[in-house]
């Protein structure tokens, strides 16, 4: 193949593009379905990538929220447990002016016959 | 001719191709040399412009996930140590100050200051530690002086910090409001000082208690992930990069019973607070059948009685010392097990309380005077805690072969620091024959509680062996290791010695221990709601040279003051022991004496009475006898 032939091919390609005949010249109609399929794949890849980004953003938000709830739970648990001791109950009862105190005798268990 | 012209054309064509190929190869060769030179330059001298690096480097960050430290739980699952972050609140008082200083922006500065005053009012209402004016002065002075890091509060919880973020000015955010919140992970102990020495802590190099011993379980492992920025400027995980998932720490379920710990702590506090001469007190409650420690209290004051009682040191594990008369049980168990004493009613001569080489026992003189007898039963000698009786027994039965008694001591595990869940169990000091501490009187003094130095945990473990009919259980503090509520490792009770004595010997010694409570040195426990067996012990503590101040007596300073420790150790209920209990109090240097039968026994009584009321084992049953007829209308 001479350089002249190559030059002709390049010139014809530009002319075909200018005239809007490029795809017809290369007989692209034969590959129409393939091109559409490729386009669909690329479109889906972009879409899925955006969806993945969106989901991972939500995962990040949820992680932060879960961590916040964990901290909140730990704090509330500690506060609750603090009250859940005999001494704490006695002090609270005293503050409230109650005469109730820790039992002196064990609780009686009622059993069926 | 035609052939000649074709050949000529071919030659011309070939020459042109050769020329083109030559130039192409020349270009590639030059390019290759250039690339090689460039590679060498990059590897040696080339430095990339920092502005260029930013353009080529992918926008990614390594994010390290720190594990949440596991909880330490009581036996019923109540948390005794939890991890949660706390927050420190600071303020950058200089925000927008320069902007507002420009011409025509005075009104904005005035508005900022007005908001700051409003913020001060909210802060005052929230924290109640300063007035609104004080807060306002702090903030406005800080703005004048250019304070960028004014500390407002420390160690706030999440809900408080969330409320604070809604306050005037602060709700504008850090760039206008100046709010700075710093987070730091903290360990929360909901029961404050309760069992703090057992739970322990890990603070850089200071590591004690369960937090230290089980640090690898509690800590967990760090994880990391690479994050990239999205088109919407959000940081998300980069799925194309490697990541390691964070593993939170495991939970530790201890054998501690919060209620028992609370009861013991309170009872001991009451006794110590009532007497300024008491420096410290400890209590151990152990489950007889398993060796599970249900409570371990270690309360002590500081250098002076004025300091607050707190869990400062783990005396139960580390205080190696002579335990006094509570060790007479060791001798009694040995002589009964060896068959030297067939019955507790067996008598020995009183000899005016004198065993050659030993100090006279004045208790025996009192006994002789009161009863007119010249002999005393082993049982009575144990009841009144006579040093003479036990020195006599040791010298009579082990005088020829002292090692025999020491073999017993070692079999009771009183000569070794056995394996325990918390590191640092004190190593006993046994002055056996052949050691530097052995002298002509060591056998007798060991028999009545001096010469042998052990920790309170050793003593409690030994008594627990008697309560358990001779099976000496290994004390333990950790029941299981759990992950998200599921048990991943369980620790089962184990024995230190399957049989320290026969069940018959254990029963005999139990009878003697019961007699101590009924008619001996621990009669304060007679009225306890559950029958208690046990032994009192009073020991002098060996003083340091500084404490002695020149005194030759190792137990006394130059002013005649001594340090005492009083102990009660035993188990309850007497007929079917469920718990072993030990209470010891330690005094400052004092002229007063402290006995195991007083403060320790009173503390034990209070503890036993309260455990009786709480423990489900002793609940009386009521049988339902009444019949309530079914009053439902019958369907037709």
């Amino acid at each position: 193949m001479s350089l002249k032939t190559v030059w002709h091919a390049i010139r014809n390609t530009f002319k075909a593009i200018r005239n809007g005949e490029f795809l017809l010249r290369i007989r692209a109609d034969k590959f129409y379905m393939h091109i559409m399929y490729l386009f669909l794949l690329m479109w889906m890849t972009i879409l899925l990538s955006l969806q993945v980004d969106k989901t991972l953003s939500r995962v990040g938000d949820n992680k932060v929220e879960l961590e916040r709830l964990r901290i909140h739970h730990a704090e509330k648990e500690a506060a609750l447990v603090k009250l859940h001791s005999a001494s704490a109950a006695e002090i609270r009862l005293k503050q409230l002016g109650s005469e109730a105190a820790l039992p002196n005798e064990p609780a009686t268990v009622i059993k069926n016959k | 001719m035609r052939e000649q012209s074709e050949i000529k054309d071919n030659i011309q064509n070939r020459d042109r191709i050769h020329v083109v190929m030559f130039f192409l190869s020349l270009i590639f060769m030059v390019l290759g040399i250039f690339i090689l030179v460039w590679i060498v330059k990059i590897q040696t001298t080339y430095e990339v412009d920092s502005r260029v690096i930013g353009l080529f480097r992918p926008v990614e960050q390594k994010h390290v996930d720190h594990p949440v430290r596991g909880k330490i739980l009581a036996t019923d699952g109540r948390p005794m140590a939890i991890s949660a972050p706390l927050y420190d609140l600071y303020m950058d008082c200089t925000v927008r100050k320069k902007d507002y200083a420009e011409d025509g922006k005075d009104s904005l500065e005035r508005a900022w200051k007005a908001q700051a005053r409003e913020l001060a009012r909210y802060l005052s209402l929230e924290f109640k530690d300063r007035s609104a004016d004080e807060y306002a002065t702090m903030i406005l002075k800080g703005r004048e002086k250019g304070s960028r890091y004014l500390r407002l509060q420390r160690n706030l919880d999440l809900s408080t910090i969330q409320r604070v973020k809604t306050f005037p000015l602060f709700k504008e955010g850090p760039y206008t409001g100046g709010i700075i919140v710093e987070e730091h992970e903290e360990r929360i102990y909901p029961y404050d000082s309760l069992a703090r020495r057992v739970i322990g802590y890990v603070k850089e190099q200071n590591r004690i208690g369960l937090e230290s011993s089980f640090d690898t379980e509690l800590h967990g492992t760090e994880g990391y992930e690479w994050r990239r920025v999205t088109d919407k400027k959000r940081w998300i995980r980069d799925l194309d990069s490697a990541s390691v998932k964070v593993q939170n720490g495991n939970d530790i379920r201890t054998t501690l019973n919060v209620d028992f710990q609370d009861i013991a702590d309170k009872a001991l506090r009451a006794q110590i607070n009532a007497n300024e001469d008491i420096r410290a007190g400890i209590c151990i409650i152990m489950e007889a059948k398993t060796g599970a420690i249900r409570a371990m209290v270690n309360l002590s004051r500081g250098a002076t009685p004025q300091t607050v009682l707190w869990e400062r040191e783990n005396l139960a594990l580390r205080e190696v010392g002579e335990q006094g008369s509570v060790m007479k049980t060791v001798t009694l168990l040995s002589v009964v097990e060896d068959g030297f004493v067939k019955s507790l009613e067996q008598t020995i001569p009183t000899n005016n309380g004198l065993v050659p080489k030993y100090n006279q026992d004045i208790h025996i003189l009192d006994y002789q005077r009161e009863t007119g007898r010249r002999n005393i039963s082993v049982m009575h000698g144990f009841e009144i805690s006579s040093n003479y009786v036990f020195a006599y027994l040791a010298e009579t039965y082990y005088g020829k072969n002292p090692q025999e008694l020491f073999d017993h001591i070692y079999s009771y595990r009183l000569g070794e620091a056995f394996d325990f869940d918390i590191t640092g169990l004190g190593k006993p000091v046994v002055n056996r024959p052949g050691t530097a501490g052995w002298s002509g009187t060591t056998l007798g003094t060991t028999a009545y509680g001096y010469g042998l130095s052990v920790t309170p945990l050793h003593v409690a473990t030994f008594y627990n062996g008697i309560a358990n009919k001779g099976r000496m259980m290994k004390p333990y503090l950790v029941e299981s290791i759990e992950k998200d509520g599921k048990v991943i490792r369980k620790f089962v009770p184990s024995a230190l010695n399957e049989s320290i004595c026969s069940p018959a010997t254990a029963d005999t010694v139990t009878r003697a221990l019961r007699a101590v409570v009924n008619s001996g040195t621990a009669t304060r426990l007679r009225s306890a709601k559950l029958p208690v067996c046990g032994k009192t012990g009073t020991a002098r503590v060996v003083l340091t040279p500084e404490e002695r101040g020149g005194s030759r007596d190792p137990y006394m300073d130059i002013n005649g003051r001594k340090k005492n420790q009083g102990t009660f150790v035993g188990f309850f209920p007497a007929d079917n022991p469920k718990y072993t209990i030990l209470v010891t109090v330690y005094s400052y240097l004092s002229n007063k004496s402290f006995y195991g039968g007083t403060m320790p026994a009173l503390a034990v009584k209070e503890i036993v009475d309260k455990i009786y009321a709480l423990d489900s084992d002793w609940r009386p049953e009521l049988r339902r006898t009444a019949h309530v007829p079914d009053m439902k209308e019958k369907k037709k």
Side-chain angles (χ1 to χ4, degrees):
Chain A
M1 188 190 284
S2 65
L3 279 173
K4 206 173 179 181
T5 320
V6 173
W7 171 243
H8 273 292
I10 293 169
R11 204 174 56 178
N12 285 342
T13 303
F14 275 107
K15 274 184 184 173
I17 290 169
R18 191 188 63 196
N19 298 334
E21 296 167 355
F22 180 72
L23 291 174
L24 287 172
R25 289 265 189 97
I26 62 166
R27 302 297 305 273
D29 52 333
K30 274 205 297 189
F31 305 105
Y32 178 74
M33 287 307 290
H34 301 81
I35 292 165
M36 288 306 289
Y37 180 61
L38 183 69
F39 175 76
L40 181 74
L41 281 180
M42 288 174 76
W43 180 77
M44 279 184 70
T45 306
I46 294 165
L47 190 74
L48 283 173
S49 174
L50 287 171
Q51 288 299 316
V52 166
D53 280 12
K54 203 174 164 185
T55 307
L56 286 173
S57 293
R58 280 180 63 194
V59 168
D61 290 346
N62 289 344
K63 263 188 183 173
V64 171
E65 184 60 17
L66 278 173
E67 181 60 12
R68 194 189 67 76
L69 288 171
R70 185 194 70 76
I71 296 164
H72 195 67
H73 180 261
E75 284 173 357
K76 290 291 164 202
E77 191 180 15
L80 198 65
V81 160
K82 210 172 236 180
L83 300 171
H84 197 251
S85 73
S87 291
E90 272 188 325
I91 292 166
R92 190 85 187 110
L93 284 168
K94 211 171 177 181
Q95 281 172 350
L96 295 170
S98 169
E99 288 178 6
L102 280 178
N104 291 322
E105 298 291 328
T108 304
V109 181
I110 300 171
K111 291 219 163 179
N112 289 329
K113 273 197 286 189
Chain B
M1 274 302 283
R2 233 176 87 183
E3 277 180 5
Q4 272 184 347
S5 73
E6 273 179 12
I7 291 165
K8 199 180 172 187
D9 280 351
N10 278 344
I11 290 168
Q12 276 179 345
N13 277 342
R14 257 204 311 264
D15 285 348
R16 201 161 49 228
I17 290 165
H18 282 161
V19 170
V20 169
M21 290 306 288
F22 171 75
F23 276 108
L24 272 174
S25 63
L26 193 70
I27 289 166
F28 278 116
M29 200 169 69
V30 170
L31 208 66
I33 291 167
F34 177 76
I35 288 168
L36 272 174
V37 171
W38 194 249
I39 287 170
V40 171
K41 191 185 169 190
I42 287 170
Q43 293 297 323
T44 54
T45 58
Y46 182 75
E47 277 185 22
V48 188
D49 190 335
S50 58
R51 287 167 300 179
V52 179
I53 291 175
L55 297 173
F56 284 95
R57 187 173 282 168
V59 187
E60 270 199 338
Q61 274 183 357
K62 188 180 183 182
H63 177 82
V64 177
D65 276 329
H66 296 283
V68 178
R69 193 171 174 81
K71 293 177 192 171
I72 295 180
L73 307 168
T75 188
D76 60 357
R78 277 187 267 177
M80 300 187 85
I82 316 174
S83 278
L86 290 178
Y87 304 87
D88 294 341
L89 178 66
Y90 298 89
M91 186 176 185
D92 177 2
C93 302
T94 64
V95 278
R96 311 297 298 271
K97 191 179 170 185
K98 277 185 186 169
D99 297 345
Y100 298 161
E102 290 169 14
D103 284 343
K105 289 188 177 174
D106 286 356
S107 59
L108 289 174
E109 178 68 10
R110 279 198 300 277
W112 192 95
K113 285 182 176 173
Q115 275 198 306
R117 282 188 202 93
E118 189 63 4
L119 168 69
R121 196 172 67 81
Y122 273 74
L123 289 172
S124 173
L125 282 171
E126 177 70 36
F127 301 118
K128 298 181 175 63
D129 57 341
R130 291 187 183 94
S131 68
D133 286 342
E134 283 172 326
Y135 268 115
T137 311
M138 257 173 76
I139 295 168
L140 296 175
K141 266 192 178 173
R143 194 166 178 83
E144 268 175 39
K145 289 179 182 171
S147 173
R148 289 176 176 274
Y149 203 62
L150 178 71
R151 193 174 81 195
L152 296 174
Q153 288 292 328
R154 293 187 73 183
N155 296 333
L156 302 175
D157 60 17
L158 181 69
S159 43
T160 310
I161 210 74
Q162 281 178 331
R163 265 200 312 278
V164 167
K165 280 179 179 175
T166 63
F167 288 178
L169 204 58
F170 277 173
K171 68 182 169 193
E172 310 287 336
Y175 301 113
T176 305
I179 184 169
I180 302 169
V181 176
E182 285 185 2
E183 183 184 311
H184 54 95
E185 196 73 15
E186 282 289 321
R187 206 67 171 145
I188 301 172
Y189 301 97
Y191 296 106
D192 288 334
S193 75
L194 219 57
R196 276 298 283 280
R197 222 58 205 179
V198 173
I199 296 168
Y201 57 79
V202 172
K203 277 180 187 165
E204 293 160 8
Q205 298 305 313
N206 294 329
R207 291 160 173 261
I208 57 161
L210 292 172
E211 293 270 24
S212 166
S213 304
F214 288 83
D215 190 37
T216 46
E217 292 288 350
L218 290 163
H219 184 269
T221 48
E222 281 182 351
Y224 71 85
E225 63 184 25
W226 285 93
R227 290 184 176 178
R228 64 181 172 83
V229 74
T230 65
D231 299 338
K232 292 184 177 177
K233 305 291 175 203
R234 297 283 311 272
W235 284 98
I236 60 165
R237 187 181 151 194
D238 185 359
L239 294 173
D240 296 331
S241 298
S243 67
V244 173
K245 205 175 175 197
V246 63
Q247 294 286 332
N248 289 336
N250 297 326
D251 297 338
I252 303 287
R253 187 180 288 256
T254 66
T255 57
L256 293 174
N257 180 317
V258 174
D259 293 326
F260 288 12
Q261 185 78 31
D262 191 23
I263 289 167
D265 186 278
K266 205 177 164 199
L268 205 55
R269 266 175 204 279
Q271 292 301 325
I272 299 172
N273 282 331
N275 197 321
E276 279 203 341
D277 289 302
I278 298 298
R279 176 180 66 87
I282 60 156
C283 175
I284 302 170
I285 302 175
M286 195 187 289
E287 200 169 73
K289 292 255 180 306
T290 60
I293 290 177
R294 297 294 177 211
M296 188 181 269
V297 184
N298 286 285
L299 291 172
S300 53
R301 289 177 169 138
T304 60
Q306 284 72 39
T307 46
V308 181
L309 264 179
W310 189 258
E311 292 240 349
R312 294 172 202 276
E313 50 190 328
N314 201 329
L315 296 166
L317 291 191
R318 298 194 177 169
E319 190 77 353
V320 179
E322 294 165 323
Q323 300 292 327
S325 297
V326 291
M327 302 309 277
K328 284 172 181 156
T329 312
V330 172
T331 313
L332 183 67
L333 191 75
S334 303
V335 290
V336 174
E337 180 68 6
D338 287 341
F340 296 131
V341 171
K342 301 261 185 298
S343 154
L344 293 175
E345 282 66 38
Q346 188 175 316
T347 57
I348 60 168
T350 50
N351 293 334
N352 295 323
L354 266 171
V355 176
K357 301 180 285 186
Y358 295 90
N359 293 332
Q360 190 174 27
D361 184 352
I362 52 163
H363 291 104
I364 295 296
L365 293 177
D366 292 342
Y367 170 78
Q368 286 181 168
R369 196 170 50 249
E370 284 165 16
T371 62
R373 290 184 188 158
R374 287 292 176 269
N375 52 43
I376 182 168
S377 70
V378 174
M379 171 75 105
H380 193 64
F382 191 67
E383 277 175 17
I384 62 170
S385 201
S386 162
N387 288 352
Y388 161 77
V389 169
F390 284 86
Y392 180 90
L393 289 173
E395 286 291 344
T396 307
Y397 299 120
Y398 299 111
K400 285 182 184 166
N401 185 12
Q403 190 57 44
E404 215 176 328
L405 178 63
F406 287 93
D407 287 345
H408 278 299
I409 287 170
Y410 278 99
S411 79
Y412 305 152
R413 297 288 188 266
L414 293 170
E416 63 180 86
F418 48 78
D419 178 41
F420 189 58
D421 290 338
I422 299 177
T423 52
L425 178 65
K427 193 175 185 317
V429 180
V430 186
N431 293 320
R432 63 182 188 281
T435 60
W438 180 258
S439 72
T441 56
T442 308
L443 178 64
T445 51
T446 304
Y448 58 71
Y450 287 91
L452 170 64
S453 298
V454 293
T455 68
L457 185 64
H458 280 94
V459 179
T461 307
F462 166 69
Y463 274 79
N464 197 56
I466 301 169
N468 208 21
K469 306 284 184 202
R471 189 165 188 242
M472 183 183 262
M473 301 306 293
K474 179 176 170 288
Y476 68 104
L477 269 168
V478 175
E479 270 182 11
S480 59
I481 293 171
E482 299 175 7
K483 178 92 182 164
D484 302 325
K486 278 187 184 170
V487 175
I488 56 172
R489 198 160 10 130
K490 183 120 183 114
F491 298 97
V492 290
S494 60
L496 279 174
N497 186 339
E498 284 295 338
S499 176
I500 56 167
C501 64
S502 67
T505 304
D507 286 345
T508 305
V509 174
T510 302
R511 191 158 67 85
L513 293 169
R514 182 74 186 130
V516 171
V517 172
N518 283 338
S519 50
T521 51
T523 47
R524 282 182 173 84
L525 279 162
R526 220 162 26 190
S527 57
K529 288 184 177 168
L530 287 167
V532 181
C533 298
K535 181 78 186 76
T536 59
T538 308
R540 292 165 299 165
V541 177
V542 177
L543 304 182
T544 61
E546 294 78 43
E547 286 171 331
R548 261 183 261 160
S551 164
R552 286 187 176 181
D553 189 338
Y555 297 101
M556 201 184 290
D557 73 355
I558 46 167
N559 300 316
R561 295 180 306 169
K562 288 177 285 185
K563 271 186 173 179
N564 290 295
Q565 71 179 62
T567 304
F568 178 86
V569 55
F571 42 86
F572 62 94
D575 45 351
N576 183 21
K578 190 173 181 192
Y579 298 111
T580 297
I581 185 166
L582 175 143
V583 170
T584 301
V585 293
Y586 300 89
S587 78
Y588 289 107
L589 271 170
S590 168
N591 291 315
K592 294 181 194 165
S593 291
F594 300 93
Y595 301 102
T598 54
M599 277 179 284
L602 287 170
V604 169
K605 184 180 179 300
E606 189 180 335
I607 294 165
V608 171
D609 287 353
K610 286 190 174 165
I611 288 178
Y612 164 70
L614 286 181
D615 200 300
S616 57
D617 272 19
W618 300 297
R619 284 180 185 164
E621 286 181 8
L622 195 66
R623 296 272 164 198
R624 196 175 73 176
T625 51
H627 174 70
V628 181
D630 189 1
M631 299 300 282
K632 273 185 194 168
E633 192 184 352
K634 279 185 183 170
K635 283 181 185 172
K636 287 177 183 173

